[in-house]
């Protein structure tokens, strides 16, 4: 069964410092991986997906199939990056094959 | 246009009561998803509709949970004989395609069962 783990419930960094939010997954196949973000009092929204290989708001994430990881990185954190971040995995089909991790709360300190 | 809306935003129910949670998807979106998010956890899939057809209900935790989308637009998630473990935020999302990563989320309904 597919599973997504995010080992850190809370990550605090200072403004301007690099940030890395960890995500590991288990899936017997070729999954699609995503990062979702939820800012305070806002809705859950897609941040980026590994297939698009985009950099959104300065964030990037590389899928490492050998380590089954999809860590989210940003070289210089900003205060407005403070939010809940969820890693998610999509298997071949929809529904139960779309699995979210438990989330990491990122707090960027001034 | 307006995004996904959900009502009520907050619901307190006594254990054993039935509740109905409503989701209004973005107009024209064919796919609709329901998730349950317990405190401190990520969203967990409950069920998925394409138009009026419920294509996957494998995430519904028990037969007390029932979802419908009779006209392919508004959807209702019904929970019968609520239990304390049903306390959670229930999220609805819609997508213009069938792809879950393209889904737009509603604000959620926070259900508290006392």
């Amino acid at each position: 069964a597919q599973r997504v783990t995010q080992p850190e419930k809370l990550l605090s960094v200072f403004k301007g410092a690099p940030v890395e939010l960890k995500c590991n997954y288990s899936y017997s196949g070729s999954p699609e991986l995503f990062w979702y973000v939820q800012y305070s009092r806002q809705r859950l929204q897609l941040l980026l997906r590994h297939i698009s290989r985009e950099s959104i708001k300065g964030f990037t994430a590389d899928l490492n199939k050998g380590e089954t990881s999809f860590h989210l990185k940003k070289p210089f954190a900003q205060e407005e990056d403070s939010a809940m971040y969820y890693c998610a995995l999509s298997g071949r089909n929809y529904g139960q094959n779309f699995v979210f991790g438990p989330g990491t709360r990122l707090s960027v300190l001034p | 246009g307006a995004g996904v809306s959900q009502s009520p935003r907050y619901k307190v129910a006594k254990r054993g009561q039935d509740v109905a949670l409503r989701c209004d998807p973005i107009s024209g979106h064919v796919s609709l998803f329901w998730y349950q998010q317990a405190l401190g956890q990520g969203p967990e899939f409950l069920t998925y509709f394409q138009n009026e057809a419920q294509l996957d209900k494998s995430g519904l935790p028990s037969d007390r949970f029932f979802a419908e989308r009779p006209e392919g637009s508004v959807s209702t998630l019904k929970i019968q004989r609520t239990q304390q473990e049903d306390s959670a935020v229930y999220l609805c999302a819609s997508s213009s395609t069938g792809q879950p990563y393209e889904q737009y989320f509603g604000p959620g309904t926070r259900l508290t069962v006392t």
Side-chain angles (χ1 to χ4, degrees):
Chain A
Q2 50 266 32
R3 189 177 174 215
V4 176
T5 58
Q6 296 178 248
E8 303 135 332
K9 278 194 173 294
L10 173 65
L11 181 64
S12 295
V13 301
F14 286 102
K15 175 183 173 181
V19 61
E20 180 179 66
L21 300 170
K22 291 183 167 54
C23 171
N24 289 88
Y25 67 91
S26 60
Y27 182 72
S28 56
S30 294
E32 287 193 63
L33 273 297
F34 312 88
W35 277 98
Y36 281 78
V37 61
Q38 187 167 25
Y39 300 102
S40 179
R41 297 186 182 87
Q42 294 189 26
R43 305 174 183 203
L44 193 61
Q45 59 185 291
L46 179 67
L47 180 62
L48 55 80
R49 38 187 302 228
H50 89 270
I51 282 183
S52 61
R53 305 183 70 82
E54 293 175 301
S55 172
I56 306 294
K57 298 185 178 182
F59 284 98
T60 59
D62 290 319
L63 179 60
N64 185 323
K65 292 186 178 181
E67 296 183 357
T68 59
S69 69
F70 188 56
H71 303 328
L72 184 67
K73 301 177 184 179
K74 185 170 182 177
F76 308 103
Q78 303 299 312
E79 289 183 68
E80 55 265 30
D81 296 329
S82 296
M84 279 295 296
Y85 290 82
Y86 296 94
C87 183
L89 172 156
S90 178
R92 181 188 299 274
N93 300 311
Y94 316 135
Q96 66 173 334
N97 287 325
F98 197 85
V99 178
F100 284 89
T104 297
R105 179 171 296 282
L106 174 64
S107 178
V108 181
L109 307 172
Chain B
V4 177
S5 61
Q6 293 185 244
S7 61
R9 292 293 312 280
Y10 303 91
K11 176 70 179 177
V12 179
K14 291 187 177 179
R15 191 172 55 184
Q17 282 185 332
D18 297 350
V19 298
L21 312 180
R22 177 186 169 108
C23 173
D24 284 81
I26 294 173
S27 178
H29 278 197
V30 298
S31 301
L32 187 146
F33 306 82
W34 282 100
Y35 296 87
Q36 180 189 58
Q37 186 172 19
L39 189 64
Q41 301 296 319
E44 288 192 11
F45 169 80
L46 293 177
T47 187
Y48 159 60
F49 290 85
Q50 188 161 328
N51 296 308
E52 68 277 5
Q54 190 173 20
L55 298 188
D56 187 343
K57 57 181 181 179
S58 60
L60 296 175
S62 77
D63 58 8
R64 295 186 296 103
F65 287 70
F66 173 76
E68 59 183 6
R69 194 186 185 198
E71 297 179 359
S73 178
V74 171
S75 177
T76 304
L77 176 67
K78 298 179 179 179
I79 309 173
Q80 296 177 324
R81 304 180 303 282
T82 52
Q83 304 294 314
Q84 281 195 313
E85 61 264 28
D86 300 335
S87 295
V89 174
Y90 290 85
L91 294 170
C92 175
S94 71
S95 168
S96 60
T97 69
Q99 302 298 332
Y101 58 80
E102 293 176 346
Q103 54 195 327
Y104 291 84
F105 282 86
T109 294
R110 182 177 297 277
L111 173 65
T112 303
V113 181
T114 60

